[in-house]
Amino acid sequence: VLTPEEMRKAMEAVAYGCIKYADLSHNRTKDYIFSFDKMLDDRGNTAAYLLYAYTRIRSIARLAQVSPEQLKQAAETSSLELAHAAEWKLAKSLLRFPDVVVRILDDLYMHTLCEYLYDLSSVFTEFYENCYCVEKDKKTGKIVKVNMSRLLLCEATANTIGAAFHILGVTPVDKM
């Protein structure tokens, strides 16, 4: 449940984000067709979808009852264990971010960053479907195990999406 202030922030982030992202996600040298339906779609390469993905990723650590301080400490004291193919794929996708930023600085084609964001979100979904970050007891619902290495991948993904949103002028929210 969102407070009235959280609801207002989420509504503003989605409204303005959808407009900005829709404009920036198209190749600026091609014809542009304005469509509210496409702009507000919660599926595909849209701000609504990516803002929701960001919010979902941020909720994983909250679900695991792991604080930002605990994540920071784990990042400083432990290493990533990339045992599953989906973990490797996500890590490689995260490592592409600096190259994408350099490319957009060179050619100013912001749609490249938007395509990267959508790809990253898709790779994260594959990771999340195949790699449990938090295991709960089926009967009691209590947390049995937290895979900190995977939570760190979630945190890195959220931070990367957040940085890309900042470049695009889209305001992310932690709750929706």
Side-chain angles (χ1 to χ4, degrees), residues 23-150:
D23 283 344
L24 295 172
S25 66
H26 295 284
N27 185 332
R28 62 182 162 83
T29 62
K30 305 283 186 212
D31 288 340
Y32 176 77
I33 299 171
F34 182 85
S35 167
F36 271 126
D37 292 334
K38 187 171 184 199
M39 185 183 297
L40 300 173
D41 197 349
D42 61 355
R43 294 163 294 159
N45 190 5
T46 64
Y49 172 78
L50 293 169
L51 284 164
Y52 175 74
Y54 175 85
T55 303
R56 186 177 54 136
I57 295 167
R58 284 288 184 214
S59 73
I60 296 168
R62 285 195 306 271
L63 171 74
Q65 299 171 356
V66 176
S67 69
E69 294 78 26
Q70 289 171 306
L71 282 170
K72 184 177 179 181
Q73 182 181 8
E76 293 170 353
T77 60
S78 60
S79 60
L80 288 178
E81 298 171 17
L82 304 175
H84 193 280
E87 293 170 318
W88 276 103
K89 189 173 181 180
L90 180 57
K92 288 177 184 176
S93 186
L94 289 166
L95 291 173
R96 287 184 34 233
F97 182 60
D99 294 334
V100 172
V101 171
V102 168
R103 183 172 171 197
I104 64 169
L105 286 171
D106 184 46
D107 64 16
L108 302 177
Y109 285 115
M110 300 306 281
H111 73 280
T112 305
L113 180 58
C114 296
E115 289 169 2
Y116 169 77
L117 268 176
Y118 181 65
D119 290 342
L120 178 62
S121 181
S122 299
V123 170
F124 179 83
T125 299
E126 181 183 333
F127 158 78
Y128 190 68
E129 289 172 353
N130 290 293
C131 302
Y132 290 106
C133 299
V134 181
E135 292 182 39
K136 290 186 170 188
D137 184 272
K138 292 185 193 305
K139 293 180 182 175
T140 64
K142 292 188 178 190
I143 296 171
V144 176
K145 180 183 177 187
V146 174
N147 187 317
M148 194 57 78
S149 179
R150 290 178 178 169

